[in-house]
Amino acid sequence: MNEEAFKKVQAAVEAAKGTTIKQLFAADPERAAKYTLTAAGWTLDYSKNRVDKNVMKALLKLAEASNLKAEIEKMFTGRKINETENRAVLHTALRNCDPKAKVKVDGKDVMPQVRRVLKQMGAFADSVRSGAHKGYTGKRIKYVVNIGIGGSDLGPVMATIALAPFSKRYIRSYFVSNVDATHLAEVLREVKAEQTLFIVASKTFTTQETMTNAQSAREWLLSKIKGKANDVVAKHFVALSTNEAEVVKFGIDPKNMFAFWDWVGGRYSLPSAIGLSLMISIGPRNFQRLLKGYWKMDRHFRTASLARNMPVVMALLGILYSNVYGAESYCVLPYDQYLSRLPAYLQQLDMESNGKSVAKDGTRVTYSTGPIEWGEPGTNGQHSFYQLIHQGTHLIPCDFIGFCKTHNPIGDHHDKLMANLFAQTEALAFGLDHDQAVEWCRKEGVDEKLAPYRTFEGNRPTNTLLADSLTPETLGSLIALYEHKVFTQGVIWNIYSFDQWGVQLGKVLAKNVLADLTAKKKPVLKHDSSTNALIARYRKAKGLA
Ligand code: G6Q
């Protein structure tokens, strides 16, 4: 991180001498309007943050000093910014809706292949949705089971739930990710083999969990449908991958494979072939609308000035709380049941991208990087952990996300939902002082001595993100907003956001332990004494030596 520019941020915060959010509002009746941005269908109100003009100025200078604009260009133009894997980072090319766009990697334009796969996906999705693509016994497909994990699962699950109002309800979507057989078994109880399409989603096609689930699904299918294995599999299995050789080895015809490329990171892959299950659910047109939404936010990020740039401003606020105020976590609170899996999705996006402690030059960073991200849909969180956000000792900045219109206008549910959202941000910012707490006690006829417990300091920072309604477009731009926020923070922290060695380590470790767990002869255990004892105990319980 640029030390000099960061010191100026600290100095600007010090100069504000602890001015509270309440005081900032009292001093400027225009504050809400001044600290509101719009982009790609979204409004960001960031006025309820601990920032004044000077703090914002210093934060923007920090972005400038990190060469943010140049780094953004490097990403969009296919430079190999994922240096530890020697790869370009081009998820933005997947949703580039300009029919004339050219985006080059190693001198080769990637756009023709992007468009080709999208077309292939569209034709296939249409044939499943119309019933033209039939199972081996001639029945139409009713159940779609995506088998994948991490980046090959979280995006499709999150978006399929989010866009349910746009889905063909006849088709039921399922997602199997955990290697725990319970996940697969419970899904297989719900579906009928003759009408099921399995989508094996794996960039590498070697991930243990996915390949194990895919093999078991294949065996189950072949135990239910009699016929030549390859012919049955051809009707009921497709693959989404970058690895054709492994797809063929598994027994899936390359004709039934939808490709993507090494410049698409797993957690950024929803707009690639990995989105096939979503496309079958909502149809190619709605998928295209999703891409358009992404694209709008991409263009905003690439072209808006830093001060009016929504992902940049959100990133800078995050840096303020992490690095100046020492906040360790931050919370995402969608006030929409359809976004129930958004916190889990963003958790991977953020924590896998910026959960790094080594700077680009290989030295250990001396400041904190990616925060712990968590959340739940509102209003459920209000009845559990909000207590700590309001009155606990930790500072937890929150993003509140909501929509002006609902897909389910029943009674006054939506007004109540949104009243809760707005009221929470108000209470977090302004709190409830002693006099108000006394008043509250009096009203309820309880002892005024209880007032301190009912006092709320306030000054808790929140962002409010508001869109007209949840549509494929607004979902696409919301995802891109967070992607670019994470990118911006990675640039300022000077870390590599696009590798994930922690995930890779897990893939290697489990293999070694598995060999010890399952060895027929008593293995010589070479782990630490705790791991050795756990393995021995497990073997004993299973009747192994
Ligand atoms: C994402 C990560 C990780 C990955 C899974 C699945 O950015 O790299 O979550 O998506 O490990 O990998 P495969 O798609 O290769 O099976």
Side-chain angles (χ1 to χ4, degrees):
M1 184 153 63
N2 187 296
E3 231 175 89
E4 218 172 285
F6 179 65
K7 275 189 186 147
K8 289 195 176 140
V9 175
Q10 287 175 310
V13 171
E14 261 164 45
K17 294 198 180 99
T19 311
T20 62
I21 297 172
K22 194 174 180 176
Q23 290 162 336
L24 289 167
F25 271 90
D28 183 0
E30 304 294 317
R31 182 170 171 84
K34 283 184 194 157
Y35 292 81
T36 293
L37 297 176
T38 53
W42 284 94
T43 298
L44 166 69
D45 177 343
Y46 67 102
S47 60
K48 294 185 181 103
N49 277 287
R50 297 180 185 177
V51 287
D52 60 13
K53 218 165 83 189
N54 296 330
V55 173
M56 273 322 292
K57 229 190 213 166
L59 283 167
L60 290 163
K61 283 260 184 288
L62 174 63
E64 270 171 36
S66 313
N67 293 324
L68 179 59
K69 278 276 177 194
E71 292 298 320
I72 294 173
E73 276 314 294
K74 278 191 199 165
M75 174 170 72
F76 276 88
T77 53
R79 297 273 295 278
K80 297 199 172 166
I81 58 170
N82 177 1
E83 289 187 35
T84 58
E85 294 182 316
N86 192 29
R87 288 175 183 169
V89 174
L90 271 181
H91 42 276
T92 51
L94 299 168
R95 59 261 189 152
N96 189 326
C97 300
D98 174 358
K100 290 192 203 118
K102 283 189 197 313
V103 182
K104 289 189 179 166
V105 177
D106 290 330
K108 191 181 157 216
D109 182 16
V110 299
M111 290 311 296
Q113 45 185 356
V114 168
R115 294 186 194 110
R116 180 179 51 74
V117 174
L118 262 178
K119 218 165 147 197
Q120 183 198 2
M121 288 166 67
F124 183 71
D126 273 339
S127 72
V128 173
R129 287 164 64 82
S130 69
H133 176 98
K134 295 194 173 20
Y136 183 75
T137 61
K139 292 203 169 146
R140 71 182 292 184
I141 298 296
K142 182 178 169 81
Y143 310 98
V144 174
V145 181
N146 186 83
I147 299 178
I149 195 164
S152 300
D153 168 68
L154 283 161
V157 186
M158 180 275 287
T160 302
I161 296 172
L163 298 178
F166 300 86
S167 68
K168 192 177 180 79
R169 301 277 182 174
Y170 174 80
I171 291 174
R172 309 267 167 83
S173 308
Y174 295 90
F175 299 87
V176 175
S177 51
N178 199 332
V179 74
D180 182 343
T182 300
H183 205 174
L184 179 66
E186 288 297 335
V187 167
L188 295 184
R189 281 195 178 101
E190 303 269 320
V191 305
K192 294 195 178 79
E194 287 175 285
Q195 291 187 279
T196 301
L197 175 73
F198 291 100
I199 300 181
V200 187
S202 176
K203 183 172 164 178
T204 54
F205 232 71
T206 55
T207 303
Q208 186 195 52
E209 291 91 332
T210 302
M211 299 329 294
T212 306
N213 279 322
Q215 280 297 354
S216 300
R218 186 176 188 272
E219 278 160 30
W220 174 83
L221 181 80
L222 295 175
S223 75
K224 299 275 178 193
I225 303 176
K226 298 296 163 215
K228 216 172 127 214
N230 280 356
D231 296 344
V232 176
V233 169
K235 292 288 181 193
H236 293 268
F237 269 81
V238 297
L240 321 175
S241 190
T242 58
N243 191 344
E244 186 174 320
E246 286 295 328
V247 169
V248 171
K249 232 198 248 168
F250 180 86
I252 296 178
D253 193 322
K255 273 197 304 222
N256 294 332
M257 170 178 162
F258 299 81
F260 58 112
W261 309 275
D262 72 355
W263 42 261
V264 183
R267 54 196 172 278
Y268 298 87
S269 63
L270 177 63
S272 74
I274 289 295
L276 184 66
S277 56
L278 172 67
M279 194 193 263
I280 293 173
S281 171
I282 63 171
R285 271 210 199 153
N286 282 320
F287 194 82
Q288 197 61 41
R289 289 173 63 193
L290 174 85
L291 298 184
K292 272 223 167 102
Y294 270 108
W295 189 45
K296 272 191 192 163
M297 188 58 82
D298 289 346
R299 280 179 298 165
H300 166 77
F301 181 53
R302 195 174 177 182
T303 57
S305 69
L306 296 182
R308 306 296 302 165
N309 199 309
M310 201 180 278
V312 173
V313 168
M314 282 179 65
L316 292 172
L317 293 168
I319 284 181
L320 174 75
Y321 297 120
S322 288
N323 300 108
V324 179
Y325 286 100
E328 294 220 302
S329 82
Y330 109 91
C331 200
V332 180
L333 302 160
Y335 276 62
D336 192 306
Q337 189 60 26
Y338 287 125
L339 293 182
S340 59
R341 293 297 283 161
L342 184 73
Y345 175 79
L346 295 180
Q347 201 167 56
Q348 178 189 29
L349 173 68
D350 203 337
M351 293 168 72
E352 201 169 298
S353 297
N354 286 342
K356 313 283 165 65
S357 52
V358 177
K360 286 185 181 166
D361 64 3
T363 60
R364 199 177 198 291
V365 295
T366 51
Y367 40 83
S368 48
T369 58
I372 301 155
E373 181 157 340
W374 56 290
E376 273 290 313
T379 60
N380 301 26
Q382 286 175 216
H383 295 267
S384 69
F385 55 79
Y386 276 39
Q387 166 61 37
L388 184 146
I389 303 175
H390 279 288
Q391 286 190 307
T393 53
H394 300 271
L395 174 68
I396 303 175
C398 303
D399 288 354
F400 285 77
I401 302 171
F403 300 93
C404 299
K405 292 180 199 143
T406 174
H407 288 286
N408 298 299
I410 303 171
D412 61 356
H413 287 241
H414 191 64
D415 295 334
K416 285 179 176 158
L417 175 74
M418 295 305 285
N420 272 286
L421 186 164
F422 299 139
Q424 286 293 329
T425 69
E426 193 175 21
L428 286 165
F430 298 99
L432 207 67
D433 63 24
H434 184 76
D435 291 349
Q436 289 170 306
V438 168
E439 180 81 2
W440 184 8
C441 290
R442 273 190 205 142
K443 245 191 222 160
E444 288 194 355
V446 298
D447 194 334
E448 286 175 25
K449 275 198 203 124
L450 294 176
Y453 306 100
R454 297 183 177 215
T455 301
F456 292 75
E457 282 171 3
N459 208 26
R460 270 45 174 181
T462 61
N463 288 321
T464 303
L465 277 163
L466 207 57
D468 199 42
S469 70
L470 176 57
T471 61
E473 285 93 343
T474 52
L475 180 67
S477 39
L478 182 68
I479 301 170
L481 167 64
Y482 278 97
E483 286 178 349
H484 298 321
K485 174 200 153 179
V486 166
F487 171 84
T488 300
Q489 294 187 328
V491 168
I492 294 175
W493 284 322
N494 192 31
I495 52 177
Y496 287 118
S497 299
F498 296 101
D499 59 16
Q500 55 284 312
W501 299 106
V503 179
Q504 316 297 18
L505 176 71
K507 294 186 182 183
V508 179
L509 290 180
K511 277 193 190 140
N512 301 340
V513 176
L514 182 63
D516 288 338
L517 282 188
T518 53
K520 291 220 172 76
K521 274 199 208 148
K522 190 174 180 170
V524 182
L525 297 173
K526 291 183 183 149
H527 310 270
D528 59 274
S529 60
S530 161
T531 313
N532 285 348
L534 291 168
I535 293 171
R537 191 186 168 91
Y538 181 86
R539 286 182 62 89
K540 197 170 161 208
K542 295 200 69 171
L544 294 166

